[in-house]
Amino acid sequence: MIMKKLIGIVGSNSKKSTNRQLLKYMKKRYSEIDEIELVEVSGLPIFVKTEDMEIPMQAERMLEKIKKADGVIVATPEYDHSIPAILSSALAWLSYGVHPFLDKPVMITGASFGNLGASRAQAQLRQILDSPEIKARVMPSSEFLLSNSLKAFNNNGFLTDTQQVKWLDSLVADFNEFINISTQLTNTHKDDETNLNDFSGDEGANNKEVIN
């Protein structure tokens, strides 16, 4: 098996984020099949539309990493049944005249302190990634919902629930297969790219007035 290069986006600006902890765990556990590099949305400014469509340097670095990656894992917490403003803003920067997510395989994960495991935030994130401005290729029926995340890891940073570990193993295996399959789905890529360029230059950019 050829090792895949994956980007893990930490969708939180919390210094003690359990979503970051989850991605770090995945980086260690799957190091023999996937090279996972973590990138942070923390530090990005809130999205504001500019006349020259210039994006922050941090977003530039992120989009270059995403472009070169075989796939992306996005880990989101859930705040008031939605994704954090900082993650929403990051995705706005990463689709403002640029298209690193176009047809890029994406897996969604989420950890939350409560019992729902970021389920509603993940549903919202799926809609955003599937939007005309982004057009990522999100793996279907694949949510990893880590509830009660403050108690989910031991002192060494490992998940303690064997059923959760088994489920995550299966999802990561499926994601690697999903990436392989996605490389064959290229017939509409050029048309999608053209449509995205037209959309971003006109209607798409106007739709990004404020994200909060």
Side-chain angles (χ1 to χ4, degrees):
M1 178 184 293
I2 299 175
M3 182 173 289
K4 293 180 173 59
K5 170 69 176 178
L6 306 180
I7 296 299
I9 297 178
V10 181
S12 170
N13 56 6
S14 170
K15 293 182 179 179
K16 297 182 179 180
S17 168
T18 53
N19 282 278
R20 183 183 298 106
Q21 196 170 5
L22 173 60
L23 287 175
K24 285 184 176 180
Y25 168 75
M26 294 174 68
K27 178 182 175 71
K28 291 179 182 178
R29 183 167 181 83
Y30 306 114
S31 60
E32 293 186 0
I33 57 173
D34 295 316
E35 179 187 346
I36 302 176
E37 178 183 357
L38 271 59
V39 297
E40 302 277 350
V41 298
S42 179
L44 275 172
I46 293 297
F47 178 86
V48 177
K49 188 172 73 171
T50 60
E51 291 185 3
D52 57 3
M53 299 186 74
E54 184 178 356
I55 67 174
M57 183 59 66
Q58 182 179 347
E60 286 273 8
R61 290 193 293 265
M62 290 176 65
L63 76 88
E64 288 301 323
K65 291 178 184 292
I66 292 169
K67 282 181 179 179
K68 295 175 182 177
D70 296 306
V72 177
I73 303 169
V74 185
T76 180
E78 181 168 311
Y79 299 157
D80 298 325
H81 302 315
S82 62
I83 66 173
I86 187 67
L87 177 56
S88 179
S89 189
L91 293 173
W93 285 124
L94 292 170
S95 57
Y96 189 46
V98 293
H99 317 298
F101 281 104
L102 174 61
D103 293 335
K104 185 70 65 176
V106 176
M107 174 181 172
I108 296 175
T109 67
S112 73
F113 297 169
N115 295 323
L116 296 179
S119 60
R120 293 175 181 172
Q122 289 193 39
Q124 182 193 39
L125 178 57
R126 185 176 293 273
Q127 285 185 313
I128 294 171
L129 291 169
D130 196 42
S131 67
E133 300 100 322
I134 298 181
K135 289 191 74 67
R137 188 168 282 151
V138 186
M139 186 166 72
S141 304
S142 60
E143 295 172 337
F144 181 71
L145 308 170
L146 184 62
S147 59
N148 303 307
S149 58
L150 285 175
K151 302 177 181 179
F153 300 92
N154 63 20
N155 292 334
N156 294 318
F158 297 114
L159 283 176
T160 58
D161 187 324
T162 55
Q163 287 300 113
Q164 289 276 31
V165 173
K166 183 179 178 181
W167 176 238
L168 185 58
D169 286 348
S170 297
L171 287 176
V172 171
D174 281 350
F175 187 50
N176 278 276
E177 287 298 324
F178 182 69
I179 292 172
N180 293 336
I181 293 170
S182 293
T183 61
Q184 304 174 45
L185 305 177
T186 60
N187 292 313
T188 63
H189 184 83
K190 288 186 178 179
D191 289 337
D192 286 341
E193 192 171 29
T194 300
N195 292 336
L196 269 175
N197 285 326
D198 292 341
F199 193 83
S200 296
D202 184 12
E203 182 180 358
N206 291 332
N207 283 342
K208 287 185 167 67
E209 288 292 347
V210 179
I211 293 183
N212 52 35

